[in-house]
Amino acid sequence: TKLILLDSLLQEMILKNVAVIRQNLRRLSTTALHKNKEVFERDQKEHINLGTIGSPGHGKTTLVSKITKVLHGTHGVPVKEVSDIDNTTGERAAGQSQNASHIEFWTDNHRYSLTDLPGSSAYSRNMYTHLSLLDVCLLVINPEEGVLKDTIEMYRISKHFGNFTIPVIFTRGQTDSETVDLVQMELEELGIENRSIILETSPEGNLTQSTMKLLHEIEAKVNRSTKFQEESSVYFPLEQTGSIPSRGMFCAGRIESGVIKTGTPLEVFFNGKKSKGTVKDMEIFRKKTDLLKAGDRGGVFIKFKTDIDIKRGAVLFEPGKGREVSDSWLVSLQTLKGQGNHTTKGEYMLHHSTFSDGKTILEPCNLSEDGLTETVLRSSSQFMGRPTDPILIRSNRTIIIGHLVSSIAS
């Protein structure tokens, strides 16, 4: 019995030592990778946050891949194949995007952070989360399929979140001019104000020409001044989080306002809880940086003074300069155009830049697409916001849009 007990103790000690060795090796490898990571050189290029939206199978990811191939020849941008962008097992098996993918490319005067968003309603949460902090959206349309109902809904939702949205008619080799004309006429009849861009995939010379025309249109129209303010205090809604023991909590997203440097003290808020910490390190486009500013999509490593479990929907901000916090809000709502009237009842899903859980209840009221109605929203947990923040609420069949009016004391 003593020998069996001794053998068990030895095995336990060996397993513990192996676990410690593995943990130390992971830390060493992470540190080594960090030390060898390329440094981001901030130039004078203006930063543009671009997104792709549209119906499933209309070619959003293919379009992104082709843009990288064109810019590879003109500006040395790394080529991204569709399999590099939709790179999870589920996406490859289904042949469609399920998650948001982020790609960097650049032109002479602008640097793009492109977010390729899923089109399927099954992954709509992954789309809505990113829409509120984009500058421009490309509404990708396959002319052989035409303008579908969900294409129009996505345009209206993107417009609600304040994005300049450009319809892109993405032609195939067999697409004739009459089909393209019909799509353009339909867009005009539906009240889509912005001029559509025809992106021709064949021959190859036309693709290069039409791609550069599209990028010039984006750069001529984008105006980030009202959305992103460097002079204001730091406000940083998070899209992604993860813990790396040797470096702290990794927090990534788009900085809405302010400037962050190494050593900047920040607070975090999530699900009614707060903690404080100091920025230890930062990255942008998977490169090291010592500065992140309003409009950048990047990440910070931060060690918090007290343990806090944070996820997508958390927000970083300067100590003492957060926004209103509540689980009850006065809101102003209407149904999305084309949805008709709706009487609120039961539970809904809320989409806001700092609310990830989603579950919410609306006080009974009658909504229409013709005008705004004020009511009270009660969420499953507290979230941070400010009056005029755009929100989107959905049930199984109805999409409701609106904005926060004011927080209500609990």
Side-chain angles (χ1 to χ4, degrees), residues 196-243:
S196 59
I197 299 292
I198 302 167
L199 205 70
E200 301 175 87
T201 58
S202 180
E204 207 62 32
N206 287 356
L207 175 62
T208 299
Q209 185 178 3
S210 55
T211 298
M212 298 313 296
K213 180 181 178 181
L214 171 63
L215 296 174
H216 289 154
E217 180 76 7
I218 293 168
E219 293 165 10
K221 297 293 186 181
V222 69
N223 179 8
R224 296 166 54 239
S225 60
T226 57
K227 262 191 170 181
F228 302 103
Q229 300 290 336
E230 293 177 32
E231 296 79 12
S232 304
S233 60
V234 173
Y235 192 76
F236 188 7
L238 304 182
E239 301 168 10
Q240 180 184 1
T241 63
S243 179

Side-chain angles (χ1 to χ4, degrees), residues 160-175:
H160 168 64
F161 281 108
N163 299 315
F164 185 81
T165 306
I166 302 174
V168 178
I169 302 173
F170 190 27
T171 69
R172 278 48 171 179
Q174 72 276 16
T175 306

Side-chain angles (χ1 to χ4, degrees), residues 238 240-244 248-252 283 298-302 310:
L238 304 182
Q240 180 184 1
T241 63
S243 179
I244 300 178
M249 183 68 70
F250 180 66
C251 305
E283 292 183 1
V300 301
F301 290 90
I302 183 168
I310 62 172

Side-chain angles (χ1 to χ4, degrees), residues 61-82 84-85 102-106 112 114 199 204 207 211 215:
T61 307
T62 303
L63 170 65
V64 174
S65 175
K66 288 189 178 295
I67 289 174
T68 66
K69 290 175 181 178
V70 168
L71 292 177
H72 176 73
T74 60
H75 292 79
V77 169
V79 170
K80 295 288 184 182
E81 300 290 351
V82 171
D84 298 323
I85 302 168
H102 303 285
I103 297 95
E104 176 197 10
F105 57 81
W106 54 88
Y112 290 79
L114 185 144
L199 205 70
E204 207 62 32
L207 175 62
T211 298
L215 296 174

Side-chain angles (χ1 to χ4, degrees), residues 28-40:
L28 285 170
S29 62
T30 302
T31 302
L33 285 170
H34 168 61
K35 287 181 177 178
N36 294 326
K37 190 176 283 289
E38 186 179 351
V39 176
F40 175 72

